[in-house]
Amino acid sequence: VGGFYGVSPEPELFVRWVQNGIFMPRFSIHSTNTDNTVTEPWMYTDKKQYIRDAIKFRYRMIPYLYSLESRAHETGLPIMEPMFMAFQNDPKTYNEGVDFMWGDSLLVANVVEKGAEIREVYLPDTGDKNIRFYDYYTRNEYEGGQTIKVPVDISSIPMFIKSGAIIPVAGNELNNLMNDNVDSLHIIMAPDTDSSFTIYDDDGKTNDYKNGSYLKTDISVKAGAKTYIDFEYEGSYENTAETMELDVIHREKAPFYVQLDGKEVPHFLHRRKYEESDIGWYYSQTKKSVQVKYPNPKKNHQVLISFEVFDMIGM
């Protein structure tokens, strides 16, 4: 990333190059240049924060990326999927050469034009009116089959969460994958439709996975007024996540209640009290999302979120 030989790229180009490169299966920055420099982040003092933020984002997304790499190994499906492959029934995607799907859940629309202040993004027509796209940052909701204009600056990495998304990310900061573990697993979901995803993990160092030392967490979502989220585990590798955090997009309203294996989860009206608790749920008005947190049972379990209609008497 940034090129290996020749004249070093100008600062804006290098930032955009990194912001695109972080989604690639193999991400590496090293070079020798003909202008007596090297293409490394510290060579771009006034832009290093944007480069650092992009790299930190990649590390946080490792649970998702590693799972996509396992999927690619088992099925041959690409990690960065061309739009025409993901949306074969929409001819408007056939000539798209920049945007791509990262797995099934995340549409990435990197900024590739110099000095851009607006990024036009075409959101594919899936043929299903229940399928929506949500801005990764604001959670604004968009229908497919339209082109939208997104304001951008040098820090921008436009991304959109697709309905049915299940995106596992690290809730704690990771800096070295050989030494750091995922202590908290944060899972972004958009349960507009039934979906499933398998989180894969192993030691990342040996071939012990061939003898069963791996962990597959199969997540299945049944959407509806009662949304069921089931977790099933396979393999002998130790689950390092001590805390589970669900980030469930639901713009219409807050839930009636949340249950973990049939037992009601405490409801918090104040964000601070929710954050201080070990277990509970909170509805974020900003993100229009149900936040659910609980100690990881490290065994098969089910979360039920009720979006049923209720009245004051029912409450």
Side-chain angles (χ1 to χ4, degrees):
V1 169
F4 182 77
Y5 185 78
V7 177
S8 58
E10 62 183 52
E12 183 182 1
L13 176 58
F14 185 58
V15 172
R16 296 307 191 192
W17 207 327
V18 171
Q19 289 171 342
N20 189 62
I22 59 171
F23 297 98
M24 296 179 181
R26 183 175 184 271
F27 172 73
S28 178
I29 300 175
H30 58 275
S31 72
T32 176
N33 295 328
T34 56
D35 55 3
N36 296 321
T37 67
V38 291
T39 302
E40 295 286 358
W42 54 83
M43 297 295 292
Y44 301 88
T45 304
D46 63 335
K47 296 292 189 291
K48 64 179 183 297
Q49 181 61 50
Y50 308 119
I51 299 166
R52 179 190 293 115
D53 290 345
I55 294 173
K56 282 184 175 293
F57 178 79
R58 175 184 172 89
Y59 271 80
R60 187 160 184 252
M61 299 296 287
I62 285 300
Y64 187 55
L65 175 57
Y66 202 51
S67 300
L68 293 179
E69 289 175 341
S70 174
R71 187 188 73 165
H73 169 70
E74 293 181 356
T75 69
L77 284 172
I79 295 165
M80 301 171 69
E81 188 171 356
M83 298 299 286
F84 70 84
M85 179 179 176
F87 304 98
Q88 298 181 24
N89 293 324
D90 184 353
K92 291 183 179 179
T93 66
Y94 294 175
N95 292 321
E96 175 57 59
V98 176
D99 300 353
F100 58 90
M101 290 297 296
W102 208 38
D104 297 326
S105 297
L106 201 59
L107 191 162
V108 180
N110 284 109
V111 179
V112 296
E113 298 293 337
K114 184 176 181 178
E117 296 181 352
I118 295 291
R119 174 61 154 89
E120 291 192 355
V121 182
Y122 177 68
L123 302 174
D125 183 357
T126 66
D128 184 345
K129 293 300 180 182
N130 293 321
I131 302 296
R132 298 286 191 271
F133 292 89
Y134 301 92
D135 186 290
Y136 185 86
Y137 308 97
T138 67
R139 302 296 172 84
N140 288 340
E141 178 182 354
Y142 301 97
E143 291 186 3
Q146 64 171 323
T147 298
I148 63 172
K149 294 183 178 181
V150 182
V152 296
D153 57 27
I154 190 63
S155 68
S156 299
I157 307 175
M159 295 180 292
F160 298 86
I161 300 165
K162 180 175 170 284
S163 288
I166 301 175
I167 307 173
V169 304
N172 57 296
E173 184 173 298
L174 301 177
N175 293 299
N176 186 314
L177 299 183
M178 299 298 285
N179 299 324
D180 298 341
N181 292 320
V182 177
D183 300 326
S184 174
L185 189 62
H186 185 103
I187 306 175
I188 302 169
M189 298 179 172
D192 304 327
T193 183
D194 294 354
S195 60
S196 62
F197 186 77
T198 299
I199 304 175
Y200 179 85
D201 198 13
D202 58 26
D203 65 16
K205 305 171 186 176
T206 71
N207 287 323
D208 289 351
Y209 72 93
K210 295 181 179 179
N211 298 316
S213 185
Y214 61 84
L215 180 66
K216 287 185 177 181
T217 305
D218 295 322
I219 305 174
S220 60
V221 176
K222 183 173 177 56
K226 286 187 175 181
T227 296
Y228 293 89
I229 307 169
D230 285 284
F231 295 80
E232 295 187 1
Y233 296 91
E234 174 192 328
S236 61
Y237 182 68
E238 180 184 0
N239 191 329
T240 63
E242 297 298 331
T243 302
M244 301 289 285
E245 297 180 79
L246 309 184
D247 179 356
V248 184
I249 300 171
H250 196 272
R251 297 189 60 83
E252 289 77 14
K253 60 181 179 180
F256 189 9
Y257 61 83
V258 176
Q259 291 181 349
L260 172 62
D261 284 337
K263 295 182 179 180
E264 199 150 321
V265 175
H267 177 206
F268 294 93
L269 296 175
H270 297 93
R271 178 83 192 188
R272 178 179 57 81
K273 292 184 177 180
Y274 165 75
E275 291 175 347
E276 292 173 350
S277 70
D278 293 326
I279 181 171
W281 71 270
Y282 167 83
Y283 185 74
S284 171
Q285 288 288 354
T286 303
K287 288 190 170 184
K288 300 296 183 183
S289 170
V290 188
Q291 314 281 295
V292 184
K293 178 169 61 173
Y294 55 94
N296 188 357
K298 299 190 178 183
K299 62 182 180 65
N300 296 352
H301 63 279
Q302 181 186 81
V303 174
L304 165 60
I305 303 177
S306 170
F307 296 109
E308 297 168 277
V309 176
F310 61 87
D311 54 27
M312 293 302 293
I313 296 176
M315 291 177 66

